[in-house]
Amino acid sequence: MSTRREVIDLDEHDRPAGALVPDRLLARRKMTVRLVAAFVVGGVLGGLGVNELRDSREQRERNASIALVAVPVSISGGGSDVPGVLQLDGQLAVTNAGQASVTVRAATGQGPGAVVQDVGAFPSLSPGHTGLLDVKLRLDCATAFESEMLSMRFSVETSDRQIREIDYPVALVGSVWQARTEQPCAQFRETEERGG
């Protein structure tokens, strides 16, 4: 007994012109269009995501690279509760040498014979800009200017609301602060010599 086999040709080459396209073929074509569209949209969104990520990373790097420069610019007043120790009001010019805007939140300095403390009114500084910071000084005439530099610590807030600590040495020797205290300190030394 012989078995007869029928072969069904699934190719569509022999379909006459104008014949209807089977539903299965339409479904495949729609699926292909959807996949291509999804791929294009995914590529665009991925590119935007990479740009956002890069911009965010660059902003974090700018905020992390804080640099300040501080220079004594004025000194006034004066008084003393201890002979030879001057209590004065002063100002520091603080320049933002970094790439991100910052607000100075605190400033202190201490060295042999010298103490500096901010009194508030903190400047907000854009990159490259300078602001004045009011400080109180306590200077011992005998030792304040033995060291050329006074180590200052600044607490700054960045635009992302992070607080960072920055150390910067402020030049005391040759500064306005030294020049303006020479006379009161000389008078103290003369009084000491006369009394001794």
Side-chain angles (χ1 to χ4, degrees), residues 140-161:
D140 184 335
C141 289
T143 58
F145 300 102
E146 288 180 356
S147 174
E148 284 191 28
M149 307 301 272
L150 174 66
S151 178
M152 290 285 300
R153 173 158 281 209
F154 295 90
S155 179
V156 298
E157 182 179 347
T158 57
S159 58
D160 61 355
R161 305 236 185 260

Side-chain angles (χ1 to χ4, degrees), residues 31-150:
M31 180 59 77
T32 302
V33 169
R34 287 183 186 139
L35 287 173
V36 170
F39 179 74
V40 170
V41 169
V44 169
L45 291 177
L48 291 174
V50 168
N51 284 342
E52 285 293 318
L53 184 61
R54 186 183 66 236
D55 292 346
S56 174
R57 186 179 69 235
E58 287 173 358
Q59 181 65 33
R60 282 193 311 270
E61 288 172 1
R62 278 194 299 274
N63 286 338
S65 63
I66 309 274
L68 297 178
V69 176
V71 178
V73 290
S74 73
I75 198 167
S76 64
S80 177
D81 55 358
V82 175
V85 177
L86 304 174
Q87 295 180 357
L88 307 158
D89 297 320
Q91 284 186 317
L92 283 169
V94 181
T95 301
N96 180 356
Q99 300 176 7
S101 295
V102 297
T103 301
V104 178
R105 292 293 178 209
T108 57
Q110 188 162 357
V115 177
V116 178
Q117 177 67 50
D118 68 78
V119 293
F122 302 113
S124 291
L125 303 171
S126 299
H129 286 81
T130 300
L132 295 177
L133 180 64
D134 294 327
V135 295
K136 291 277 187 196
L137 297 107
R138 185 175 173 88
L139 302 173
D140 184 335
C141 289
T143 58
F145 300 102
E146 288 180 356
S147 174
E148 284 191 28
M149 307 301 272
L150 174 66

